[in-house]
Amino acid sequence: RQSMLSKECFQSYILVRSSVVDDWIEAYKHDRDTTLLDLINFFIQCSGCKGAVSGEMFRHMQNSEIIRKMTEEFDEDSGDYPLTLSGPQWKKFRINFCDFIAVLVRQCQYSIIYDEYMMDTIISLLTGLSDSQVRAFRHTSTLAAMKLMTALVNVALNLSINMDNTQRQYEAERNKVIAKRANDRLELLLQKRKELQENQDEIENMMNAIFKGVFVHRYRDAIAEIRAICIEEIGVWMKLYSDAFLNDSYLKYVGWTMHDKQGEVRLKCLTALQGLFYNRELSTRLELFTSRFKDRIVSMTLDKEYDVAVQAIKLLTLVLQSSDEVLTAEDCESVYHLVYSAHRPIAVAAGEFLFKKLFSHRGPEEDGLPRRGRQSLNGSLIKTTVFFFLESELHEHGAYLVDSLWECASELLKDWETMISLLLDEPMPGEEALNDRQETALVEIMLCAIRQACECHPPVGRGTGKRVLTAKEKKTQLDDRTRVTEMFAVALPLLLAKYCVDIDKVTNLLQIPKFFDLDIYTTGRLEKHLDALLRQIWEVVDKHTDTEVLEACSTTCHYLCNEEFTIFNRVDIARSQLLDELVDKFNRLLEDFLQEGEEPDEDDAYQVLSTLKKITTFHNAHDLTKWDLFTSNYRLLNTGLQNGDMPEQIVVHAMQCTHYIILWHLAKVSDAQLKISVISISICAQVLCLFQAFTILCDLLLIFSHQIMSSGREQLESLVYTPDSSLQAELLNFILDHVFIDQDDDNSTDDEASKIEALHKRRNLLAAYCKLIIYNVVEINTGADIFKQYMRYYNDYGDIIKETMSKTRQIDKIQCAKTLILSLQKLFNEMLSELGFNFDRSSSAFCGIKELARRFSLTFGLDQLKTREAIAMLHKDGIEFAFKEPSPQGEGSPPLNLAFLDILSEFSSKLIRQDKRTVHMYLERFMTFQMALQREDCWLPLISYRNSLQAGADDDTMSVISGISSRGSTVRSKKSKPATASKRKLPEGEHFWCSLNVQTPVMMHSPHLTSTVLRDPKKMRPEDSFTHALRQDEEPHAASNVRSSTLNCFWPNFEPIKSLTKSSLLTCYVFVTRHSRRGSGLMEDDEEPIVEDVMMSSEDRLEDINEGMDFDTMDIDLPASKNRRERTELKPDYFDPSSIMDDSVGVFHSL
């Protein structure tokens, strides 16, 4: 029976109306049993139970019996119930369900809840349901009980307030003189206070019953959602009615639960405590709790759940505001370093904590300071920021610190006027000036603040991308950019003049102009300051040879030389004058340097190097083709190659400059540039000993590869340069000699930082070469020597090699698979040459190759259909390699490479079931009859490989033959699909292996049965299946003829199979059938059995299981690719019926 309450509140959960409760109260006054029964059914149905409590059950059964009866009628098929369902309507249901309980108690608080019937019944029911094993009952009743408790807390709070008011009125009346005292009023007030006290006691009894009957048990429930509900509500109680609940007896539950294993529950603990610490009056009563659980809160700032860590930091910020003495210096320092966290919410929360700790406390002496300038309050705070930044020795990321403080201290960080004053103005008498290190830190912080204001997005590593700015944010961004331009257009030349010789400061200062609004130079009549800036850039270029400084100068000039702005002509003239001077100086020095018969001294070499370095740096961003630098650089390189005494750095920069020349010529290419590119590549090949030369060569080969003709640029075909085999071999040998070396072999330096830098350079070299593989500049099979290093150098280059494998697989799956197996073959041959043919298969070398094969297998992913052809080709090459070399011990001994099959078995799990039989048949081409009978240890690789091909293939071995359906008289039929031609042209003899989308023998269309009478598959012996199928056909030899022609189609010249007799084929099929226990029947008209198995409805699958599976003899095999060590670590097989049974029982008990 659907009750009135259920109809209006459960089914119509869009809005909770107080009228529903009012109607229920009126009905309760007339017939409380029936109406209370409606309320009981409401809670039952809100749990998702389809059953209902009848009046008879309500009158004669105990709550435990009713709950047991409802559990039996509960629909547990889906496991879902209203509180777990998603969607907006179910979210509204949860809200309205909680509101209904609150409204019910509020409307009944003056009469009905004290009748010792309604509340006792509800509390008893909810307590019983909360102890149920059914999760839906337990979850719903716990939520209801906690919300009921919250509503009672509000009632108790109102009673407490009324009692206090009544007590004050009573005291006021009693304190009057006797003549003015109203005794009747005193009696009324005394009676009212007594009634209120009785009601208060009764409410407290109800709350105690709920707390001890529900909360104490459910706050440690197995379900995290239930635990979170309890902690969330106890936080509300302590905040609402602190006099009763804000004590250690209740706080301890929150403290204990902060150690919960689920982040959701820990998060509720922190938010509950935040509500308490936010109120300063309540925070003073938490001293004992804070001292007890402070260490836990501090440790939660490093919680693995980011949301929990953020709330822990915010809680510590509130603790800090309540008292400065609670947190020690060590506690604060553990939060300070989080401003450098890559997770922005954590960093922002830590920045707020840092701001509150260091910047929010002002002394009385700071109240009269000016707002801006060196002597202002911001000046002191900026110094404090600099000191903090320098003390963070493990972190040198000023952009991260600025971003962390931006939301709470943006006004301070945008006080660039004060920063400029601290850098340019002389200190006042008695003021301590900033030292050089502090000034460098201030310049970096100033640059980071300018970048943050003008770009309005976090630094790299924080945030997924640029977000869309609001209109207000865009206006703020434009205003900040205008302020930066107006302020630093004047101050930047002065700063550069002061710090002209300081590399770090100049590098950061020269990055500021790229945030300028260049129109302001004209509109603000600031041209003279622009000239001053250009002069300072010229002076910096003249004084410095550091790469970072020169790149900053080049980038700044490139930004200022924008044709869209009116200042272009002015900047272009200054740039041309600078480059004219540099090129003239270089040509003059070069003539002296290359004079015949004279030995150049170190000073001449340094002058040439410094000038060439400046020209090269500018050539990277500016087109210098009109200065004809190629001739000079070619002379320099050619002379160095002939004499062999050219300084290495000069050669490096000359090659780099020539590289830029080629790229700029390519931008406006003509046939004349072909000679330049070929000459440059030839030069690079001759000086391959240099790392920079190798990188440049790889870039040039990539640029001038066939990719240059893409996007309709066929006219550039004459510029395509294809490296010959000798050059490809030199490139590969360079990688093997200079990249794949152990750290211990690199004796160039013992410094850890230098080793990291050297590793970074080697990674760049490997990445440059791998790009040639990915873009098909060099043959893909050259990657075999790279891939074989995957395991040995996994920590150093694993990510690069793995990405290369992924990209090559996207280009050509089959060629990538052949390259992988080739790399394993190379390692196997190296092992044989080192250990000999009698090696131990348990040796570390062989196990390492086997582990590498397992890793390679994992890279193919889970979609076997996508990699079907590639895996088949991999097995083909592996089988041929295993039987390629005869045994050195003579006939009767295993082939030399037979152990390679043990490695190849790691890929067997990637074969689909149909292909396993095909690969097995291909394996048998290489086997003799004696090999199949061998059982010695030396033949174990062959045995294990054959077993890996037979594992899991039994289900479709019989699908070759038409015969009995696995469901008796039920016949599934499909229309035969014609085989589609492969798009890729394949070499002869590899047709099947590269085109596995064509029908395989196990996927062939089976001939129809001619008889309508079928034998019961359960009564037929498995070995009869094949012979019975032949008897059903009018022409017994038709099936074998079809198979023979099919095999001829798939394997040309396949004489070993053609020579098999009918009896031997029959014996083979009988053997296979005997080992198939999943069903004795055969699939009829089943062209693609594996696809049909997947696409079968669940009803069909259940029917198949019931009729075709023998549960008593069912064997679950582990995947063939798992070795013995891994098998012990596998999780329980979820397809095992016993595992399913255990799981279902476990789930039921956890409900």
Side-chain angles (χ1 to χ4, degrees):
R1 178 174 63 92
Q2 288 288 343
S3 64
M4 170 195 69
L5 188 62
S6 299
K7 288 181 180 180
E8 295 194 31
C9 194
F10 178 70
Q11 294 179 347
S12 302
Y13 39 72
I14 302 302
L15 180 64
V16 173
R17 302 178 180 89
S18 60
S19 59
V20 176
V21 177
D22 293 337
D23 294 342
W24 182 86
I25 292 175
E26 290 298 324
Y28 180 82
K29 292 179 180 178
H30 294 88
D31 187 357
R32 68 179 190 177
D33 289 339
T34 304
T35 313
L36 191 57
L37 181 61
D38 291 340
L39 186 60
I40 291 173
N41 280 320
F42 168 71
F43 287 117
I44 296 294
Q45 292 167 11
C46 284
S47 301
C49 180
K50 294 182 179 179
V53 180
S54 63
E56 186 71 17
M57 294 168 59
F58 179 63
R59 287 190 296 269
H60 298 94
M61 296 176 66
Q62 299 292 329
N63 280 336
S64 59
E65 297 174 341
I66 293 175
I67 294 172
R68 189 180 303 112
K69 181 68 174 177
M70 291 299 101
T71 301
E72 295 173 357
E73 298 183 10
F74 199 93
D75 180 16
E76 294 183 277
D77 292 341
S78 64
D80 294 330
Y81 51 95
L83 290 183
T84 60
L85 294 175
S86 59
Q89 72 248 24
W90 295 109
K91 291 181 180 179
K92 292 180 181 178
F93 164 75
R94 182 190 180 100
I95 296 173
N96 293 331
F97 177 72
C98 298
D99 290 345
F100 169 78
I101 297 174
V103 172
L104 177 64
V105 174
R106 186 173 67 245
Q107 299 291 82
C108 299
Q109 65 178 320
Y110 299 110
S111 57
I112 297 179
I113 61 174
Y114 303 113
D115 66 356
E116 298 183 355
Y117 182 67
M118 183 194 81
M119 293 302 296
D120 290 351
T121 304
I122 294 176
I123 292 173
S124 177
L125 173 70
L126 295 179
T127 302
L129 288 174
S130 68
D131 197 37
S132 172
Q133 289 184 337
V134 180
R135 174 178 174 175
F137 280 151
R138 202 166 69 252
H139 189 180
T140 307
S141 61
T142 301
L143 176 62
M146 294 299 99
K147 292 299 180 181
L148 182 64
M149 178 79 166
T150 302
L152 292 176
V153 168
N154 282 306
V155 173
L157 180 61
N158 292 332
L159 290 174
S160 177
I161 295 173
N162 291 333
M163 286 180 59
D164 292 340
N165 293 335
T166 303
Q167 183 65 28
R168 284 195 298 270
Q169 293 175 7
Y170 177 80
E171 294 294 338
E173 189 67 28
R174 193 180 62 175
N175 291 334
K176 293 180 180 179
V177 296
I178 298 178
K180 296 183 178 181
R181 183 186 304 168
N183 293 327
D184 295 340
R185 179 173 172 78
L186 286 175
E187 292 179 3
L188 289 175
L189 291 174
L190 194 60
Q191 181 65 26
K192 182 180 179 181
R193 188 182 66 175
K194 183 179 179 182
E195 292 177 1
L196 292 173
Q197 184 63 49
E198 291 176 354
N199 292 341
Q200 181 79 3
D201 294 341
E202 193 164 348
I203 294 295
E204 289 180 358
N205 290 334
M206 297 177 190
M207 292 191 299
N208 286 333
I210 296 175
F211 187 83
K212 295 179 180 179
V214 179
F215 179 89
V216 171
H217 301 287
R218 300 280 70 80
Y219 91 97
R220 51 184 180 178
D221 193 275
I223 306 302
E225 296 176 4
I226 297 177
R227 302 197 300 272
I229 290 172
C230 296
I231 297 303
E232 182 179 13
E233 293 305 314
I234 196 174
V236 175
W237 307 337
M238 289 186 289
K239 186 176 179 181
L240 288 177
Y241 197 8
S242 58
D243 292 340
F245 290 96
L246 191 56
N247 55 61
D248 298 331
S249 299
Y250 295 95
L251 283 169
K252 65 183 180 182
Y253 295 105
V254 180
W256 293 341
T257 315
M258 283 195 294
H259 296 271
D260 195 281
K261 62 181 179 180
Q262 294 295 328
E264 175 188 0
V265 183
R266 299 194 300 272
L267 187 63
K268 292 297 182 182
C269 294
L270 295 173
T271 52
L273 293 173
Q274 286 176 13
L276 301 178
F277 278 98
Y278 188 79
N279 190 331
R280 290 186 176 273
E281 295 181 0
L282 300 180
S283 62
T284 57
R285 301 162 59 179
L286 295 168
E287 294 179 357
L288 182 59
F289 173 85
T290 305
S291 62
R292 171 64 178 82
F293 293 101
K294 180 195 65 175
D295 294 339
R296 173 57 184 161
I297 299 174
V298 172
S299 67
M300 292 174 75
T301 60
L302 300 176
D303 197 279
K304 64 179 181 179
E305 300 289 342
Y306 288 140
D307 293 339
V308 176
V310 171
Q311 298 305 322
I313 297 171
K314 290 183 177 180
L315 177 59
L316 289 177
T317 305
L318 294 175
V319 173
L320 182 66
Q321 290 178 346
S322 63
S323 176
D324 292 336
E325 301 176 355
V326 175
L327 298 178
T328 63
E330 291 77 10
D331 297 334
C332 295
E333 288 174 1
S334 63
V335 181
Y336 289 160
H337 75 277
L338 294 177
V339 297
Y340 298 102
S341 172
H343 189 258
R344 192 168 190 271
I346 291 179
V348 171
E352 184 180 359
F353 179 88
L354 175 65
F355 184 77
K356 297 291 185 184
K357 179 65 176 177
L358 301 181
F359 304 144
S360 297
H361 304 288
R362 298 185 181 181
E365 68 281 357
E366 297 176 342
D367 294 337
L369 296 178
R371 184 179 180 185
R372 302 283 183 182
R374 188 182 187 94
Q375 300 298 319
S376 65
L377 175 61
N378 280 352
S380 175
L381 297 179
I382 290 172
K383 289 182 181 179
T384 304
T385 306
V386 171
F387 299 154
F388 172 80
F389 179 54
L390 292 176
E391 289 176 2
S392 306
E393 296 179 355
L394 298 178
H395 307 280
E396 299 178 355
H397 306 285
Y400 277 45
L401 175 60
V402 170
D403 182 59
S404 301
L405 294 171
W406 194 255
E407 293 188 5
C408 58
S410 59
E411 183 180 355
L412 171 66
L413 296 172
K414 289 195 288 188
D415 188 2
W416 299 302
E417 180 182 349
T418 301
M419 296 181 186
I420 294 172
S421 177
L422 289 171
L423 292 171
L424 293 179
D425 296 347
E426 294 295 328
M428 299 295 291
E431 180 186 359
E432 184 178 356
L434 296 176
N435 57 34
D436 180 70
R437 187 163 172 260
Q438 293 167 351
E439 288 178 339
T440 302
L442 177 56
V443 170
E444 182 178 353
I445 291 174
M446 181 174 66
L447 172 63
C448 295
I450 293 172
R451 182 187 294 114
Q452 186 85 8
C454 295
E455 294 182 351
C456 292
H457 64 77
V460 177
R462 280 190 185 169
T464 56
K466 296 181 180 179
R467 62 184 183 87
V468 179
L469 302 180
T470 63
K472 183 178 179 181
E473 289 173 336
K474 289 181 180 179
K475 183 179 183 303
T476 303
Q477 181 186 28
L478 293 175
D479 293 342
D480 290 338
R481 191 175 184 186
T482 301
R483 283 187 58 231
V484 168
T485 306
E486 294 175 346
M487 199 173 297
F488 284 93
V490 178
L492 185 58
L494 301 176
L495 292 170
L496 288 173
K498 181 176 181 179
Y499 301 111
C500 183
V501 296
D502 192 304
I503 294 177
D504 294 332
K505 296 185 183 68
V506 169
T507 303
N508 287 327
L509 289 172
L510 284 173
Q511 297 182 49
I512 295 177
K514 68 181 180 181
F515 303 107
F516 284 0
D517 182 1
L518 298 181
D519 281 330
I520 295 180
Y521 271 116
T522 304
T523 58
R525 300 185 179 277
L526 302 175
E527 290 86 352
K528 63 177 183 179
H529 298 290
L530 176 61
D531 294 336
L533 176 61
L534 295 174
R535 286 194 300 270
Q536 291 301 323
I537 293 176
W538 192 327
E539 186 175 350
V540 170
V541 173
D542 183 59
K543 291 183 178 180
H544 287 273
T545 59
D546 184 80
T547 302
E548 293 184 0
V549 177
L550 295 176
E551 288 179 352
C553 293
S554 176
T555 305
T556 301
C557 288
H558 181 265
Y559 178 75
L560 295 175
C561 288
N562 193 330
E563 297 181 2
E564 298 179 0
F565 299 98
T566 56
I567 64 172
F568 170 73
N569 292 331
R570 187 185 298 267
V571 180
D572 186 46
I573 293 173
R575 178 184 61 175
S576 299
Q577 292 173 353
L578 173 62
L579 293 174
D580 283 337
E581 182 176 335
L582 288 176
V583 173
D584 291 342
K585 182 179 178 181
F586 174 67
N587 290 330
R588 186 173 62 254
L589 292 171
L590 188 62
E591 291 295 333
D592 298 338
F593 186 72
L594 299 180
Q595 284 183 358
E596 297 182 3
E598 293 186 9
E599 185 72 20
D601 56 13
E602 294 183 0
D603 185 61
D604 293 338
Y606 176 78
Q607 291 293 332
V608 172
L609 175 60
S610 61
T611 308
L612 179 59
K613 191 175 185 180
K614 296 173 184 178
I615 293 175
T616 303
T617 305
F618 269 84
H619 207 346
N620 186 16
H622 304 268
D623 184 7
L624 308 184
T625 53
K626 64 179 181 180
W627 279 276
D628 190 21
L629 294 169
F630 178 78
T631 304
S632 302
N633 282 278
Y634 178 73
R635 286 183 58 201
L636 188 61
L637 290 172
N638 194 35
T639 303
L641 290 174
Q642 293 176 358
N643 299 335
D645 58 352
M646 187 68 65
E648 180 178 328
Q649 287 299 314
I650 293 181
V651 176
V652 168
H653 287 286
M655 291 187 58
Q656 190 70 52
C657 186
T658 307
H659 178 57
Y660 294 144
I661 293 171
I662 294 173
L663 297 183
W664 280 107
H665 275 283
L666 186 61
K668 40 187 179 181
V669 68
S670 64
D671 292 340
Q673 273 71 56
L674 178 61
K675 180 180 178 182
I676 295 178
S677 62
V678 174
I679 291 174
S680 177
I681 292 178
S682 301
I683 294 174
C684 288
Q686 296 179 52
V687 292
L688 200 56
C689 58
L690 301 175
F691 283 8
Q692 292 83 351
F694 180 86
T695 305
I696 293 172
L697 175 59
C698 290
D699 290 343
L700 287 174
L701 290 175
L702 185 60
I703 292 170
F704 289 96
S705 66
H706 57 89
Q707 306 284 341
I708 199 175
M709 297 188 299
S710 60
S711 303
R713 293 177 294 182
E714 289 79 6
Q715 68 276 11
L716 301 181
E717 183 178 1
S718 59
L719 292 179
V720 175
Y721 183 87
T722 303
D724 54 20
S725 58
S726 61
L727 180 56
Q728 293 189 35
E730 287 187 59
L731 291 171
L732 181 59
N733 291 332
F734 181 86
I735 287 293
L736 296 178
D737 294 340
H738 294 86
V739 173
F740 295 107
I741 59 176
D742 295 329
Q743 292 284 357
D744 298 336
D745 299 337
D746 187 7
N747 299 322
S748 58
T749 179
D750 295 332
D751 184 22
E752 191 67 26
S754 300
K755 287 184 178 180
I756 295 175
E757 182 64 24
L759 175 61
H760 180 67
K761 291 181 179 179
R762 293 197 296 272
R763 284 175 58 86
N764 287 338
L765 294 176
L766 179 60
Y769 182 78
C770 288
K771 284 192 294 185
L772 300 181
I773 299 176
I774 292 172
Y775 287 97
N776 205 22
V777 178
V778 299
E779 297 294 335
I780 292 181
N781 57 14
T782 60
D785 289 290
I786 306 296
F787 297 162
K788 72 179 185 181
Q789 310 288 351
Y790 181 64
M791 287 295 296
R792 183 178 178 184
Y793 295 95
Y794 181 81
N795 293 332
D796 294 340
Y797 316 115
D799 55 336
I800 299 176
I801 299 176
K802 186 176 182 180
E803 184 66 17
T804 304
M805 287 190 288
S806 175
K807 293 296 183 183
T808 52
R809 185 175 292 113
Q810 295 175 14
I811 297 171
D812 192 333
K813 295 184 178 68
I814 294 178
Q815 193 61 37
C816 177
K818 292 172 73 71
T819 304
L820 292 179
I821 201 68
L822 178 60
S823 65
L824 295 173
Q825 292 169 6
K826 286 177 176 288
L827 287 174
F828 188 84
N829 287 332
E830 292 174 5
M831 182 193 65
L832 286 181
S833 62
E834 180 180 351
L835 302 180
F837 63 89
N838 287 325
F839 66 92
D840 184 5
R841 284 189 292 113
S842 62
S843 63
S844 59
F846 184 81
C847 292
I849 302 175
K850 190 174 176 66
E851 176 64 16
L852 179 61
R854 188 186 71 84
R855 294 289 187 94
F856 284 167
S857 174
L858 294 176
T859 62
F860 283 94
L862 300 177
D863 194 341
Q864 294 176 318
L865 294 179
K866 287 184 178 180
T867 59
R868 185 180 183 185
E869 300 175 9
I871 292 295
M873 180 57 68
L874 184 147
H875 279 273
K876 175 180 179 295
D877 289 358
I879 292 172
E880 293 175 351
F881 175 78
F883 291 93
K884 182 178 181 181
E885 298 291 338
S887 174
Q889 297 178 344
E891 188 176 355
S893 299
L896 180 63
N897 300 333
L898 186 69
F900 190 79
L901 293 178
D902 200 6
I903 299 171
L904 191 61
S905 63
E906 295 292 339
F907 298 93
S908 297
S909 63
K910 295 300 179 182
L911 287 167
I912 62 175
R913 292 183 297 174
Q914 293 92 331
D915 295 341
K916 284 186 177 181
R917 185 171 185 273
T918 307
V919 173
H920 186 269
M921 295 176 67
Y922 187 75
L923 174 66
E924 291 180 344
R925 291 179 54 186
F926 299 88
M927 295 173 54
T928 63
F929 181 76
Q930 290 78 10
M931 289 183 183
L933 301 178
Q934 297 295 337
R935 289 297 181 269
E936 289 83 1
D937 289 346
C938 58
W939 294 94
L940 285 179
L942 177 60
I943 298 172
S944 62
Y945 182 57
R946 292 183 65 191
N947 291 338
S948 70
L949 295 177
Q950 293 172 353
D954 297 341
D955 289 344
D956 34 68
T957 52
M958 301 305 296
S959 64
V960 198
I961 315 164
S962 72
I964 305 168
S965 171
S966 61
R967 290 198 293 267
S969 61
T970 304
V971 178
R972 286 186 286 119
S973 63
K974 282 187 179 181
K975 293 183 179 180
S976 177
K977 298 180 181 179
T980 56
S982 177
K983 295 182 179 179
R984 183 183 289 108
K985 294 182 179 180
L986 301 173
E988 187 176 355
E990 297 182 357
H991 174 75
F992 168 73
W993 291 96
C994 297
S995 303
L996 284 177
N997 57 332
V998 186
Q999 295 177 356
T1000 63
V1002 294
M1003 297 174 61
M1004 289 184 57
H1005 183 71
S1006 303
H1008 292 284
L1009 293 172
T1010 57
S1011 173
T1012 58
V1013 181
L1014 299 177
R1015 291 178 59 185
D1016 189 352
K1018 297 181 180 178
K1019 297 179 180 179
M1020 181 182 292
R1021 300 196 316 273
E1023 55 268 26
D1024 292 340
S1025 300
F1026 178 74
T1027 56
H1028 176 75
L1030 290 179
R1031 293 193 197 102
Q1032 298 296 328
D1033 204 323
E1034 295 178 357
E1035 298 180 7
H1037 299 288
S1040 61
N1041 291 337
V1042 170
R1043 291 185 201 96
S1044 299
S1045 61
T1046 304
L1047 293 175
N1048 289 333
C1049 174
F1050 287 136
W1051 286 292
N1053 304 321
F1054 193 27
E1055 297 298 332
I1057 295 296
K1058 291 167 63 177
S1059 64
L1060 291 177
T1061 62
K1062 177 180 176 181
S1063 61
S1064 63
L1065 286 173
L1066 178 61
T1067 304
C1068 176
Y1069 280 109
V1070 169
F1071 174 78
V1072 172
T1073 309
R1074 283 177 176 172
H1075 287 75
S1076 177
R1077 290 291 182 266
R1078 299 184 179 226
S1080 58
L1082 305 176
M1083 287 186 251
E1084 184 179 58
D1085 288 336
D1086 194 358
E1087 183 185 21
E1088 295 178 351
I1090 186 172
V1091 177
E1092 175 140 347
D1093 286 347
V1094 174
M1095 299 303 294
M1096 285 168 58
S1097 65
S1098 51
E1099 180 179 335
D1100 292 337
R1101 287 199 298 270
L1102 290 174
E1103 186 178 357
D1104 283 348
I1105 290 175
N1106 293 333
E1107 296 190 10
M1109 181 176 290
D1110 185 1
F1111 287 96
D1112 294 334
T1113 59
M1114 177 179 176
D1115 292 326
I1116 303 297
D1117 293 331
L1118 293 173
S1121 64
K1122 301 294 182 182
N1123 56 33
R1124 188 172 301 170
R1125 176 182 58 82
E1126 292 172 307
R1127 291 185 181 189
T1128 61
E1129 299 172 356
L1130 286 174
K1131 296 180 179 179
D1133 191 348
Y1134 293 102
F1135 296 97
D1136 189 347
S1138 61
S1139 298
I1140 297 174
M1141 182 67 68
D1142 293 341
D1143 257 346
S1144 62
V1145 174
V1147 168
F1148 179 78
H1149 282 299
S1150 65
L1151 289 173

